[in-house]
Amino acid sequence: MLSFCARVCVYVYVCVCVYVCLYVCVCVYVSVCVCVCMYVCMCVCVCVCVCECMCVCDTPTAAKCSEVVLGSCDDMPYTHTVFPNLVGQRHREDVEASVEYLLLSVVRSLLNGECSPELRMLGCSVLAPRCQDGRPARPCRHVCEAVRRRCQHGFDTIRMAWPYFLDCDRFFVSEEEGCYDPLEGLRGEETPEMLAASVAPQESATILQFVYHTHTQLLNTLKRTAARCPDIARTYTIGRSSEGKDLTVIEFSSNPGQHDILEPEVKYVANMHGNEALGRELLIYLAQYLCSEYLLGNARVQTLVNSTRIHLLPSMNPDGYEIASAEAQQGGDIDYDEEGRYEGFMTGRGNGQNIDLNRNFPDLTSIAYSRRRHRYYRTDHIPIPDAYWFGKTVAPETYAVMKWIRSIPFVLSASLHGGDLLVSYPYDLSKHPQEENLMSPTPDEQVFKQLARVYADSHRTMTSHHTEPCGSDFTDRGGIINGAQWYSIRGGMADFNYLHTNCFELTVELGCDKFPPEEELYNDWQDNKEALLSFLEAVHRGIKGLVMDEEGRGIKGAVVSVKGIRHDITTAENGDYWRLLTPGIHIVTASARGYVRSMKKVYLPARLQKAGRVDFTLKKAPLDLDEDDYVPAIPSTYERFDPYNQFARYNVRDVAESGIERQENPWWWSYFARSTGTAPNWLLKVD
């Protein structure tokens, strides 16, 4: 029996047939009439068949509810779903093979556990919607909007767009339209604290992706971080590696790009040895953490950034890192030095010229040792001897860092290395040429020990007796040691900082494994996060102040001395200074050529959490000064840097400066592209 649709078609065509036949018979010849009528009737038969087929195809088949058998959606508050789903996927197999479902399966790992399982369940309500009377029911829009407010920043962090199938306006409806809550089952398990967190997005934690970064990824991450926090961050380049890679620094400050009076400058340098990769990643994570936590209202981070100018150089040796990274991926042999100390992968330790950068700085320590019996012996602002520029190959990375150190009045610094677990401090060169492991203290031995303890004590495992040592066990020393006593080196960066500038630099050995597997990066970050922050805060110990003339103008280059410590520091451009000191009583003197020195007695309590303010006003001096009125001053040769332009080529930049961000897909892109065989461009976030 014909369907109603087919019967209507037949009726229409029969009427047409009769009309045509009558017209032809009356108006034309009868013979033609018979032929035409037969032809028209045949057409009617064909049309009946066609109409029947069309009507059958157009007749909607009743959708059937089926059990939810998708593994990532088996905990939904309902048991039956229906297809096609809300995005038009017609079968369960289509869902399982889709990028959308793959994303739900790995979203917990992508966002480091953040917003799980809410995001997954929200997605399941679209890909496997609840079946209601044979039709897909739509989830509530307000639930989607609440989840998006809380979780959007997680996608922003990994440069992923908010998934199109979680579009709250497109696939979700209001309560008036009869929606349901896809998180209903989850609500019953939530504690009051969880519920409070769901409506307080400002309390969300910073999400970090614990992966290794290529050089391009490193640069892009730093630039995006600075762009996300433009009021407190900026990036700048101090030079290039031997193979032309930018040595990029990210700075955090309440006034990026400018030195503020009485705001101390502190720096971290990592990846000096290309095969020591952990410090490089820790500084990338630290940059993202400072930016994100500042925006989230973390009071500690806001105080630190607003009162300190922080500089992070994640990679001093990007060329060596690329070589070491390739070696680590292939799996290399572990090496040990002559005394059995763990060396890890040696490939990539040096720069592109195979120069060990931590042996490439001027050896000012030997000069300091040779003059220690002179009356006016000094261990600060020792000029770089001209012989240095002719006696060895100066690496472009070393050249760039020296210029950087000389251009900014750094107060405190740490260089992050790997291969052991300790903090070492200057001097790093033994004071006796035949005793390589001889205790060789600086005049600031107590200050250095105090600073080293800040990092070691704040580290989760550095001082623990339960930590397995890499070779020698330093836990009995509290995880700290004098550099020369541990491992004597000539031409190191830490000694150069101390003897050539105001900066106190320590060396942090982050662990036995120089290039740990990615799965260990999270624990390494947790081990070091508190120590990294505490060390930055330690720059606010000791005293700070201004050295001015009688008219209140700052005196640049004035010398601040502490009785009993034969190491002076000098004032910056505007006459401000910072002097790291231990608690106790100190006699501090400020002096400058052409002025009468001024002396003050200072008491620093043990529990003082910020630098004491000590200002000096110097009076003009008479012309006839006695010998006892000798005023120390920076040697006239101090400003000589590459005096014969031996390495001027290092200052030349390419015409096409790399201010434009290099385009590289995010780290997660290849996983989705390979897994599905498609290019899911909808996952890419458009900046």
Side-chain angles (χ1 to χ4, degrees):
M1 187 173 184
L2 295 179
S3 66
F4 174 77
C5 177
R7 289 199 300 272
V8 171
C9 287
V10 171
Y11 174 78
V12 172
Y13 276 101
V14 167
C15 292
V16 173
C17 175
V18 172
Y19 175 80
V20 172
C21 288
L22 289 175
Y23 176 79
V24 172
C25 291
V26 173
C27 301
V28 197
Y29 299 103
V30 174
S31 59
V32 177
C33 170
V34 174
C35 294
V36 172
C37 287
M38 291 177 64
Y39 174 76
V40 172
C41 290
M42 183 179 65
C43 291
V44 169
C45 294
V46 173
C47 290
V48 169
C49 296
V50 172
C51 288
E52 180 67 21
C53 293
M54 292 175 58
C55 291
V56 169
C57 294
D58 288 342
T59 301
T61 58
K64 295 182 179 179
C65 296
S66 59
E67 290 189 5
V68 178
V69 291
L70 296 169
S72 295
C73 302
D74 58 3
D75 58 347
M76 296 298 288
Y78 49 86
T79 58
H80 287 75
T81 185
V82 64
F83 293 101
N85 61 18
L86 298 183
V87 295
Q89 295 163 336
R90 305 187 67 85
H91 306 286
R92 174 177 60 82
E93 292 77 10
D94 297 337
V95 176
E96 291 178 329
S98 68
V99 177
E100 293 88 341
Y101 185 71
L102 178 61
L103 176 60
L104 294 186
S105 303
V106 299
V107 70
R108 177 183 175 86
S109 299
L110 284 174
L111 301 186
N112 220 26
E114 182 90 357
C115 298
S116 179
E118 299 98 310
L119 275 171
R120 177 179 55 78
M121 296 178 72
L122 196 68
C124 285
S125 70
V126 175
L127 302 184
R130 187 173 77 178
C131 183
Q132 183 173 317
D133 299 328
R135 293 178 299 175
R138 289 185 177 258
C140 292
R141 183 177 296 127
H142 74 272
V143 176
C144 174
E145 292 171 343
V147 172
R148 181 165 187 172
R149 282 195 301 270
R150 191 158 74 88
C151 305
Q152 177 72 63
H153 77 283
F155 288 89
D156 293 343
T157 300
I158 63 172
R159 294 174 59 204
M160 182 179 283
W162 182 258
Y164 81 91
F165 61 94
L166 297 183
D167 186 325
C168 301
D169 294 323
R170 183 176 173 188
F171 298 108
F172 298 78
V173 296
S174 65
E175 290 181 333
E176 290 76 12
E177 297 173 271
C179 69
Y180 73 97
D181 183 356
L183 307 184
E184 179 183 354
L186 186 63
R187 304 293 186 205
E189 301 173 5
E190 287 181 334
T191 63
E193 291 77 11
M194 294 170 62
L195 290 171
S198 67
V199 295
Q202 69 275 11
E203 296 179 6
S204 299
T206 296
I207 295 178
L208 301 175
Q209 297 304 317
F210 297 100
V211 295
Y212 283 107
H213 295 74
T214 66
H215 186 66
T216 299
Q217 289 170 338
L218 180 153
L219 297 180
N220 290 345
T221 300
L222 296 185
K223 289 176 181 177
R224 283 195 303 272
T225 300
R228 186 183 177 200
C229 297
D231 294 334
I232 61 165
R234 73 170 182 125
T235 59
Y236 62 96
T237 300
I238 62 172
R240 287 187 175 176
S241 69
S242 61
E243 296 181 2
K245 297 181 181 67
D246 286 340
L247 305 179
T248 299
V249 178
I250 186 168
E251 170 198 336
F252 290 91
S253 168
S254 57
N255 193 7
Q258 182 175 324
H259 170 72
D260 289 338
I261 295 178
L262 295 176
E263 184 172 277
E265 312 254 1
V266 59
K267 61 183 167 72
Y268 276 128
V269 178
N271 202 207
M272 188 180 198
H273 292 141
N275 62 331
E276 297 170 10
L278 177 56
R280 166 193 177 102
E281 299 305 325
L282 291 181
L283 293 192
I284 295 173
Y285 305 154
L286 179 61
Q288 295 173 294
Y289 179 84
L290 291 175
C291 171
S292 179
E293 290 297 306
Y294 191 98
L295 296 179
L296 291 171
N298 184 317
R300 181 186 185 187
V301 170
Q302 288 182 341
T303 299
L304 177 62
V305 171
N306 290 337
S307 61
T308 319
R309 193 177 179 205
I310 302 165
H311 306 256
L312 309 179
L313 174 60
S315 184
M316 182 178 169
N317 184 4
D319 300 339
Y321 172 80
E322 284 200 349
I323 299 171
S325 178
E327 176 81 5
Q329 291 174 9
Q330 295 171 2
D333 295 328
I334 296 176
D335 294 311
Y336 296 84
D337 68 5
E338 302 84 9
E339 300 182 13
R341 280 186 287 256
Y342 176 81
E343 287 291 309
F345 298 108
M346 292 299 294
T347 304
R349 177 181 175 87
N351 74 339
Q353 302 162 302
N354 201 28
I355 296 173
D356 188 329
L357 300 180
N358 207 28
R359 311 291 189 277
N360 196 234
F361 285 81
D363 177 18
L364 305 183
T365 320
S366 295
I367 296 175
Y369 287 157
S370 68
R371 297 177 179 177
R372 62 180 179 269
R373 289 186 175 84
H374 293 187
R375 180 179 181 186
Y376 296 122
Y377 154 74
R378 61 187 302 124
T379 63
D380 59 271
H381 298 88
I382 298 176
I384 300 173
D386 287 355
Y388 169 76
W389 303 106
F390 296 97
K392 67 195 306 181
T393 300
V394 179
E397 298 88 348
T398 309
Y399 186 92
V401 169
M402 286 194 295
K403 287 192 68 176
W404 181 43
I405 293 171
R406 287 166 55 94
S407 67
I408 296 175
F410 290 114
V411 180
L412 183 61
S413 174
S415 178
L416 307 184
H417 290 254
D420 217 318
L421 187 61
L422 58 89
V423 180
S424 71
Y425 54 88
Y427 291 125
D428 284 336
L429 176 65
S430 175
K431 62 184 176 182
H432 196 288
Q434 270 128 34
E435 286 285 346
E436 290 196 353
N437 299 106
L438 185 65
M439 173 73 173
S440 305
T442 67
D444 282 289
E445 168 75 5
Q446 296 307 313
V447 175
F448 273 119
K449 288 176 73 172
Q450 173 183 262
L451 294 170
R453 288 194 189 101
V454 169
Y455 198 100
D457 292 346
S458 301
H459 191 278
R460 289 206 308 185
T461 63
M462 193 173 287
T463 59
S464 172
H465 289 278
H466 300 292
T467 302
E468 184 176 348
C470 307
S472 302
D473 189 352
F474 297 96
T475 54
D476 289 338
R477 300 173 179 268
I480 68 173
I481 191 172
N482 172 260
Q485 188 176 10
W486 173 53
Y487 192 75
S488 180
I489 63 170
R490 187 183 304 273
M493 184 168 67
D495 283 7
F496 176 79
N497 271 271
Y498 181 69
L499 294 172
H500 190 65
T501 71
N502 291 337
C503 187
F504 286 50
E505 180 168 287
L506 292 82
T507 300
V508 179
E509 298 285 339
L510 296 167
C512 306
D513 200 340
K514 296 183 177 183
F515 213 123
E518 279 191 346
E519 55 266 27
E520 295 181 12
L521 293 177
Y522 171 77
N523 285 331
D524 289 327
W525 165 250
Q526 293 299 328
D527 287 345
N528 288 277
K529 180 176 73 172
E530 177 59 33
L532 290 167
L533 294 173
S534 296
F535 189 78
L536 292 175
E537 293 168 334
V539 74
H540 294 280
R541 301 192 177 194
I543 60 174
K544 66 179 180 181
L546 293 167
V547 179
M548 302 168 289
D549 61 19
E550 292 178 284
E551 296 179 359
R553 294 174 299 199
I555 302 175
K556 177 185 176 181
V559 176
V560 178
S561 309
V562 179
K563 186 176 182 180
I565 302 177
R566 299 188 72 173
H567 184 89
D568 303 335
I569 59 98
T570 57
T571 56
E573 187 74 29
N574 297 308
D576 48 342
Y577 76 91
W578 306 262
R579 190 24 165 128
L580 296 169
L581 290 170
T582 57
I585 298 175
H586 302 278
I587 306 299
V588 184
T589 302
S591 55
R593 286 291 173 91
Y595 295 89
V596 177
R597 72 179 66 188
S598 175
M599 183 183 299
K600 292 187 178 183
K601 185 177 182 179
V602 177
Y603 170 65
L604 295 177
R607 296 186 178 181
L608 187 65
Q609 297 299 312
K610 60 181 181 179
R613 178 73 180 267
V614 182
D615 293 338
F616 293 91
T617 300
L618 304 185
K619 298 180 180 180
K620 283 287 187 180
L623 298 178
D624 52 340
L625 285 175
D626 297 332
E627 185 179 357
D628 291 338
D629 293 322
Y630 165 78
V631 176
I634 297 177
S636 58
T637 56
Y638 179 80
E639 297 299 331
R640 290 168 64 88
F641 185 82
D642 190 14
Y644 304 104
N645 293 320
Q646 293 285 99
F647 302 95
R649 63 187 183 279
Y650 292 161
N651 294 318
V652 178
R653 306 285 290 176
D654 289 348
V655 175
E657 197 62 50
S658 57
I660 301 175
E661 179 172 313
R662 295 162 173 80
Q663 297 302 315
E664 183 171 293
N665 286 329
W667 58 270
W668 45 261
W669 171 261
S670 59
Y671 172 76
F672 286 97
R674 284 199 307 265
S675 299
T676 61
T678 60
N681 293 317
W682 55 268
L683 284 173
L684 292 174
K685 181 176 176 60
V686 180
D687 295 326

